[in-house]
Amino acid sequence: MVQFVRCLAKHANISEYAIIHIREFADKFEYTSDTALRRLTNTWIESVQNTTSKALDYSFRQLITLMHRKSQHDSAYLEFESRVRDHMTQPPFNIIALPGVPLPISLYAAKLYDGVLIYAKAAKKLLESGGDLSDGRLLTLNILNSTFRSIQQFNDSIDAHGDAEGAYSAVAIVKESNSNYGWALKQVGTFRNLEDSNEQLKYLKHEPMSWLGRSPPLPEPACGFTGSRCTKDSLSNLVYLAVVVGASVAIVLTLLGVCYWR
């Protein structure tokens, strides 16, 4: 990602571009606390220190990273983390924790918990209606088009196709007076499924972007992505139009001059 941004900055006017970086499957320790934010920040700082051109340094302001949103660290999720850590130190895992260093909890632990909870709720609903748990079709129908509160304390949903909504944040480099570098990687927005809302997914803005051009890049170049709006044909049409208008004006002036001379 760092090399791509540097390359784009060398060969193009990077202020005309917004770079979207997706970190869907990062390393297993990426999801705990502010670890992901720190790692991305260090990556950017390292690129700044190893670059001589300031134009390249600040090109990272055009970068937006989409990543898994941090868990809401309320009492329920903190208790869940504590229970998972206890299980990790017991058989068959027997993981030894370093003194004073809590074991990191993978995102997949929370997803597994949510999956079991969704199944349990669907099974309960099916049994209450007199259904049979061996009927996988009915069990699946009780899962589709449902909503649930994840252990990470997000309002999530499963659509008619069985796809679950993800919880993601938009992260970018913005000005930060408390940072040693004057810049910091911060959460500029989140994607949320709001309660009592007809919208399935809504983007909530948290921080303004620090774009290089002081405004977001245009969604499309002035001549279009293929340059079709600035072809020779379109220029020829303008020339023809100018000739016609000029000739018309000349004829009118000539007629006025003849009338005046007579």
Side-chain angles (χ1 to χ4, degrees):
M1 180 267 294
V2 173
Q3 289 78 6
F4 175 81
V5 175
R6 287 179 179 175
C7 181
L8 183 60
K10 285 182 179 179
H11 300 285
N13 182 1
I14 199 168
S15 64
E16 297 180 353
Y17 296 86
I19 307 167
I20 309 298
H21 175 221
I22 300 176
R23 294 178 72 92
E24 171 63 22
F25 296 106
D27 60 79
K28 61 183 179 180
F29 300 122
E30 189 82 34
Y31 309 103
T32 60
S33 187
D34 293 327
T35 303
L37 295 182
R38 289 198 301 270
R39 289 189 178 184
L40 284 174
T41 304
N42 291 337
T43 298
W44 179 70
I45 291 173
E46 179 184 357
S47 69
V48 171
Q49 292 174 338
N50 294 335
T51 305
T52 57
S53 172
K54 288 188 176 181
L56 291 181
D57 294 355
Y58 295 104
S59 60
F60 287 86
R61 287 161 56 182
Q62 302 299 105
L63 175 68
I64 303 174
T65 298
L66 301 182
M67 57 188 293
H68 282 287
R69 188 145 46 100
K70 293 189 300 179
S71 302
Q72 305 295 323
H73 285 188
D74 64 352
S75 57
Y77 185 75
L78 292 176
E79 180 183 356
F80 169 77
E81 280 192 328
S82 177
R83 289 164 57 190
V84 171
R85 289 191 176 97
D86 288 341
H87 283 293
M88 292 169 68
T89 59
Q90 298 173 11
F93 308 107
N94 297 321
I95 298 177
I96 300 176
L98 297 176
V101 180
L103 291 172
I105 306 300
S106 169
L107 169 73
Y108 299 107
K111 297 302 182 183
L112 178 60
Y113 178 93
D114 290 340
V116 174
L117 181 63
I118 292 170
Y119 174 84
K121 289 176 63 177
K124 179 176 181 292
K125 185 177 180 180
L126 180 61
L127 292 174
E128 290 176 345
S129 63
D132 186 354
L133 281 180
S134 62
D135 191 335
R137 184 183 65 86
L138 286 178
L139 185 62
T140 301
L141 288 176
N142 280 284
I143 294 177
L144 301 180
N145 294 313
S146 63
T147 59
F148 63 96
R149 182 77 169 177
S150 72
I151 191 61
Q152 294 176 287
Q153 304 307 301
F154 300 136
N155 294 317
D156 290 334
S157 62
I158 300 177
D159 63 18
H161 304 288
D163 295 324
E165 176 202 337
Y168 297 95
S169 292
V171 180
I173 293 167
V174 297
K175 289 184 178 181
E176 177 57 63
S177 58
N178 295 328
S179 170
N180 294 330
Y181 297 91
W183 301 85
L185 194 71
K186 299 182 69 176
Q187 182 175 262
V188 295
T190 56
F191 295 90
R192 290 184 56 190
N193 194 1
L194 302 179
E195 297 180 357
D196 302 325
S197 174
N198 293 326
E199 297 185 58
Q200 287 189 335
L201 200 62
K202 186 175 180 64
Y203 177 73
L204 302 179
K205 182 178 178 181
H206 293 207
E207 293 267 351
M209 289 285 298
S210 298
W211 298 108
L212 280 174
R214 298 186 179 181
S215 62
L218 294 176
E220 187 177 3
C223 294
F225 290 108
T226 61
S228 58
R229 295 179 185 173
C230 300
T231 60
K232 293 182 179 180
D233 292 338
S234 62
L235 291 176
S236 299
N237 292 334
L238 291 176
V239 172
Y240 293 148
L241 179 61
V243 170
V244 170
V245 171
S248 300
V249 172
I251 292 172
V252 171
L253 292 176
T254 302
L255 292 175
L256 291 175
V258 170
C259 294
Y260 177 78
W261 180 76
R262 287 184 178 180

